[in-house]
Amino acid sequence: MSDTQTAAEQRIPVTVLTGFLGSGKTTLLNKLLRRPELADTAVIINEFGEIGLDHLLVEKSDDEGMVTLNSGCLCCTVRGDLVRTMSELFLKRSKGEVTPFKRMVVETTGLADPAPILHTLMTDPLLASRYRLDGVVTTVDGVNGTSTLDNHEEAVKQAAVADRLLLTKSDIADAPKLSELKSRLHQLNPGAPFHAISSGDIDPNEILNAGLYNPDTKSADVKRWLHEEAYGHEHGGDHHHHHHGHGHDDHDHEHGHGEQDPHNVNRHDDRIKAFCMTFDEPMSWSTVAAAFDALVTYRGPDLLRMKGILNVKDTDKPVVIHGVQHVFHPPATLDAWPEGDDRKSRVVFITRDIAESTIRKVFASFFEAEKKGWSGQLDEQKPQ
């Protein structure tokens, strides 16, 4: 299950573009497809009819739903399913039948939960060896975003798992309402930078390359990827770890084990917690893997997103973990710790109906068990 930095560099980065119906995703795609920065990009969309590609933009097309644009961007529709479409594209690329694209953008449908696509990228053996998830970009309607978040839990989830948030229609949105929406999104997902855009205009570099690997420096950029400082600086817990919490005060909204406040069922985002946990001491891989395994087994669907860097015993190299619900990327070992890093383990969690204190208790119980001589028996291999 080992994964190396070199392997990550060789795989094609995939940006997943999601957003609720009417949130400006199509307008954004239309503008992006014209940009020279996407010359070496393959874009998978739901259907060409929605995009309404200007025939002047099209350089050549075939009967398999594949179009090459003047900008050099390759655009195609999903055929059958995403795995098949991505596999066929890679095959055509290998045979020289299409532009040798260097990255990919995948559009999800407006009502879709992006998690299954992320799971597919992480777990399908064929795709995982050829592609890597770079980031999730979510469009949020600057005019109707508040009511969408109020009425559709999927929209809340789309915002919660994003690496980048795009606030669309900002030019026609009511300023106070837009400000309130920004604040709400920041509560939901403090680690995701967001951009207010109008008419789909944005520098593609602001939303591409949002993952751990920074192509400019040709190295892992942990600070940019984790963005842990966005989660505040509250300290608590025992000597082994402290936390940086963000979101709603625990005493206001945690009932029992962090369940939703029954008197406020329409505010779906009250169910979302975003926080960063820091562990001061090096960890045994088997123990931390057992703790995550327990969390996934009992609360998998509610672990919306986890990403972190771990200081693991018996190695001087950092281990990177990345999970979406019950699915984890194979752990990746970086070549070295970032310069000046204090080498503390940090894990960012975005959860639904799971209090930070619950997760802290799980880790504490496994660390305590380890001290008593117990070590988790897991099939997972230790990262190389």
Side-chain angles (χ1 to χ4, degrees):
M1 297 251 320
S2 68
D3 191 3
T4 65
Q5 203 166 321
T6 308
E9 290 165 19
Q10 290 169 345
R11 288 177 293 158
I12 295 166
V14 179
T15 300
V16 175
L17 177 61
T18 187
F20 212 70
L21 288 170
S23 65
K25 201 159 36 106
T26 303
T27 307
L28 173 70
L29 270 173
N30 220 331
K31 290 289 178 74
L32 284 177
L33 292 174
R34 292 166 161 77
R35 296 287 296 245
E37 292 93 337
L38 266 74
D40 54 2
T41 305
V43 180
I44 297 178
I45 61 176
N46 292 311
E47 53 178 284
F48 284 122
E50 289 182 355
I51 300 293
L53 285 175
D54 188 326
H55 69 280
L56 296 174
L57 284 174
V58 177
E59 191 172 281
K60 62 176 182 178
S61 62
D62 61 24
D63 56 3
E64 293 186 347
M66 204 169 296
V67 173
T68 305
L69 305 175
N70 295 341
S71 62
C73 173
L74 179 69
C75 193
C76 72
T77 51
V78 175
R79 302 183 64 231
D81 62 34
L82 187 64
V83 174
R84 178 184 166 194
T85 305
M86 291 177 71
S87 299
E88 286 179 355
L89 264 179
F90 192 89
L91 200 61
K92 288 176 183 290
R93 178 183 182 269
S94 303
K95 291 178 178 178
E97 294 176 9
V98 296
T99 315
F101 56 90
K102 293 178 182 173
R103 60 187 167 203
M104 180 174 281
V105 175
V106 176
E107 178 204 12
T108 69
T109 60
L111 294 170
D113 173 0
I117 289 181
L118 307 185
H119 295 166
T120 300
L121 285 171
M122 291 176 169
T123 58
D124 186 273
L126 209 58
L127 294 190
S129 64
R130 296 165 174 176
Y131 298 97
R132 63 179 171 84
L133 173 65
D134 182 65
V136 179
V137 176
T138 301
T139 52
V140 179
D141 187 329
V143 176
N144 300 310
T146 297
S147 62
T148 303
L149 291 173
D150 282 343
N151 297 312
H152 302 280
E153 190 171 2
E154 288 309 333
V156 174
K157 200 170 171 185
Q158 288 172 347
V161 302
D163 294 290
R164 298 282 185 276
L165 287 164
L166 303 185
L167 217 49
T168 64
K169 309 176 190 175
S170 58
D171 53 329
I172 57 171
D174 178 64
K177 286 184 179 176
L178 193 65
S179 178
E180 183 186 320
L181 180 58
K182 284 181 183 178
S183 175
R184 188 169 172 183
L185 290 170
H186 187 67
Q187 288 280 88
L188 271 176
N189 190 345
F194 55 83
H195 304 271
I197 63 173
S198 57
S199 306
D201 287 317
I202 189 169
D203 179 351
N205 294 314
E206 297 283 2
I207 54 176
L208 300 169
N209 305 315
L212 173 63
Y213 180 68
N214 185 343
D216 294 334
T217 60
K218 292 186 164 44
S219 64
D221 191 339
V222 174
K223 184 177 174 63
R224 184 190 68 158
W225 183 61
L226 276 185
H227 202 202
E228 66 199 83
E229 66 276 8
Y231 295 83
H233 291 282
E234 300 170 39
H235 296 277
D238 60 26
H239 73 282
H240 202 100
H241 63 273
H242 39 269
H243 68 286
H244 311 302
H246 208 290
H248 313 279
D249 292 336
D250 284 358
H251 65 271
D252 282 344
H253 298 294
E254 283 175 21
H255 295 263
H257 296 288
E259 295 305 317
Q260 181 183 7
D261 183 340
H263 303 296
N264 201 2
V265 292
N266 290 326
R267 286 300 293 263
H268 301 297
D269 36 346
D270 283 345
R271 304 176 65 189
I272 307 294
K273 307 275 187 247
F275 50 91
C276 178
M277 286 173 51
T278 302
F279 301 85
D280 298 328
E281 302 163 22
M283 309 153 107
S284 154
W285 173 253
S286 60
T287 302
V288 75
F292 273 113
D293 192 51
L295 284 170
V296 164
T297 300
Y298 294 105
R299 300 301 301 267
D302 297 317
L303 295 166
L304 300 184
R305 193 100 189 253
M306 295 144 291
K307 48 188 182 181
I309 183 168
L310 304 180
N311 185 342
V312 175
K313 290 176 181 175
D314 304 323
T315 175
D316 59 353
K317 295 179 178 179
V319 174
V320 171
I321 57 167
H322 185 194
V324 176
Q325 294 180 315
H326 59 281
V327 175
F328 272 79
H329 255 309
T333 304
L334 303 183
D335 292 337
W337 282 90
E339 194 173 334
D341 196 286
D342 60 12
R343 301 199 174 198
K344 291 179 181 178
S345 299
R346 286 101 70 192
V347 184
V348 168
F349 288 90
I350 295 182
T351 65
R352 178 178 54 198
D353 293 338
I354 310 178
E356 180 182 343
S357 56
T358 302
I359 290 182
R360 257 190 282 142
K361 284 172 190 168
V362 170
F363 277 94
S365 65
F366 277 90
F367 290 136
E368 191 59 36
E370 182 191 355
K371 285 178 189 171
K372 292 176 179 174
W374 177 87
S375 187
Q377 303 299 312
L378 286 178
D379 294 329
E380 268 104 347
Q381 289 181 325
K382 185 175 178 179
Q384 301 299 311

